[in-house]
Amino acid sequence: MSPGPPTAGGALLPPATGAWREGDPWGRRRWHHRADPLPLESGGTLPGVTLAYETWGRLAPDGSNAVLVPHALTGDSHVAGPAGPGHPTPGWWDALVGPGRPLDTDRWFVVAPNVLGGCQGSTGPSSPRPDGRLWAGSFPRLTQRDQVRAEAGLADALGIERWALVIGGSMGGMRALEWAVSFPPRVAALLLLACPAVASADQIAWASAQIHAIRADPHWRNGAYHDAGPGRGPHTGLGIARRIAHTTYRSGEELQARFGHRPQDGEDPRAGGRYQVESYLDHQAAKLVGRFDAGSYVVLCEAMNAHDIGRGRGGTRPALARVGARTLVAGVDSDRLYPIGQQEELAAGIPSADAVRRLSSPFGHDGFLIETGQVAALVRELLGTV
């Protein structure tokens, strides 16, 4: 008789990685396989590059109605639609994409790739190398420019010469900006949300603490943990990283109003129990461990730390001056991780941008995901002139 799946205290142990793996349900994913190795900004190449992506709507015969939606750090290609086989969570911007919605799929062809280095079908640390071994800890360092170059190959394969709109927030905003600077003729309109021109020391510091938490986990094994048994991945380190990150994603005022100093129901912090805010962060950590890969988290955080639109281009101002797209820049008024001053720098430097727009929200950085009504108004403003 089978002993059943491994458990800890009656609970099922999570697999070593929450990455999508060969043999898992495809869901709505499609795949683009790059024919040639991808040149990397750091030197060398990355062979065997695959991007998972999803699409909604139909591409016009002249390719003029395509919209690119790059995701943030722990997002994926599943922008819209329900959770289900192959998709552990519902679409992260579901309110924006679909018939009659701001990105109306009766009119627009929406494309959302899983970022290179990610863990939901695109090539990353949990993926096999061309020789069949997993990349694991040997996966190369990436930059936003590498990731956008890979996405340009996807656009070519789909027959898209120019995006009608590129829209992204946070890490997705970094890639959206990189698209407009690297390939100005290929971006007609640009919506940048809660992102900077260059990663600040504060942002690098927060991300560095998260990277160290993962690498300090004894189950990290220099990144070679993917084939370990259930419960033997670097879950503790990834969970700590998520707790740190999620705290920076929300405003102090929201956390105080929501949780205050109250203990978790049935627990006494003075006797080893938790406060409500601790329970909330524990919940966020457990959710991420079940659907994400620690190696991808490290790779993507390092790419975000490397973000500098002016690197090798004479600085931030000359780089932003290359943007030819009609542009709106918006920040969240309560964002303490990507403060609105960074978006003001973008708006001041991009020739076609007017004053920065403010998303009013108590939710901090996560406001760009939550305040879909306000984001929708910006989308309609841009697409109404396309």
Side-chain angles (χ1 to χ4, degrees):
M1 185 174 183
S2 169
T7 63
L12 291 177
L13 294 174
T17 174
W20 185 92
R21 308 292 292 274
E22 288 289 342
D24 290 344
W26 286 24
R28 296 190 75 259
R29 290 177 185 81
R30 300 167 66 186
W31 274 268
H32 163 63
H33 304 286
R34 185 182 176 94
D36 302 319
L38 178 72
L40 299 180
E41 191 181 2
S42 61
T45 61
L46 179 62
V49 169
T50 293
L51 289 186
Y53 67 99
E54 296 179 49
T55 67
W56 297 261
R58 185 183 297 273
L59 184 64
D62 63 358
S64 63
N65 67 334
V67 174
L68 178 67
V69 186
H71 63 77
L73 173 59
T74 60
D76 55 26
S77 64
H78 199 52
V79 173
H87 300 297
T89 56
W92 50 269
W93 249 356
D94 189 70
L96 295 183
V97 178
R101 295 177 181 176
L103 293 175
D104 187 344
T105 50
D106 290 333
R107 179 182 180 189
W108 303 105
F109 179 65
V110 178
V111 181
N114 182 217
V115 68
L116 180 66
C119 63
Q120 289 300 318
S122 292
T123 298
S126 58
S127 305
R129 302 161 57 120
D131 64 7
R133 295 178 298 158
L134 294 183
W135 277 107
S138 66
F139 195 78
R141 282 186 178 244
L142 300 177
T143 66
Q144 308 290 325
R145 295 182 197 180
D146 299 327
Q147 294 164 335
V148 166
R149 190 176 294 113
E151 291 168 1
L154 169 62
D156 293 342
L158 293 174
I160 298 167
E161 295 182 3
R162 191 176 195 226
W163 298 104
L165 171 66
V166 180
I167 170 177
S170 193
M171 187 185 83
M174 296 178 190
R175 299 209 311 287
L177 177 61
E178 189 62 52
W179 256 102
V181 172
S182 291
F183 304 104
R186 302 193 70 169
V187 181
L190 179 68
L191 179 51
L192 302 174
L193 302 166
C195 66
V198 55
S200 69
D202 186 59
Q203 290 150 4
I204 293 169
W206 284 114
S208 177
Q210 296 167 52
I211 292 168
H212 279 286
I214 292 171
R215 288 179 169 157
D217 190 311
H219 291 309
W220 170 246
R221 301 184 187 91
N222 293 319
Y225 58 85
H226 294 88
D227 290 330
R232 298 190 59 79
H235 302 135
T236 297
L238 180 57
I240 292 171
R242 182 60 165 180
R243 289 173 177 88
I244 295 170
H246 201 77
T247 302
T248 69
Y249 296 160
R250 297 299 180 117
S251 71
E253 293 76 14
E254 188 235 349
L255 292 177
Q256 177 63 24
R258 188 171 175 185
F259 303 113
H261 195 256
R262 295 182 293 276
Q264 178 66 8
D265 292 346
E267 299 186 28
D268 181 358
R270 295 170 298 177
R274 299 170 298 173
Y275 292 98
Q276 285 185 7
V277 70
E278 291 179 284
S279 175
Y280 168 69
L281 293 175
D282 289 347
H283 175 67
Q284 297 298 328
K287 285 200 306 181
L288 187 72
V289 162
R291 67 172 183 85
F292 213 77
D293 177 60
S296 281
Y297 198 99
V298 168
V299 166
L300 299 182
C301 280
E302 289 178 337
M304 293 172 70
N305 284 350
H307 173 63
D308 179 359
I309 204 67
R311 183 176 57 252
R313 294 166 171 157
T316 298
R317 278 283 182 164
L320 294 179
R322 296 171 60 165
V323 177
R326 293 185 309 278
T327 302
L328 289 180
V329 181
V332 182
D333 58 7
S334 58
D335 191 341
R336 57 181 173 179
L337 181 60
Y338 291 87
I340 207 159
Q342 292 186 319
Q343 289 85 64
E344 290 172 343
E345 180 184 26
L346 292 175
I350 295 174
S352 64
D354 56 13
V356 69
R357 311 300 177 86
R358 290 176 177 259
L359 303 181
S360 178
S361 176
F363 297 112
H365 184 60
D366 273 354
F368 84 92
L369 292 170
I370 296 171
E371 305 293 350
T372 52
Q374 296 179 62
V375 175
L378 299 177
V379 171
R380 291 192 173 103
E381 181 178 347
L382 268 178
L383 289 182
T385 60
V386 170

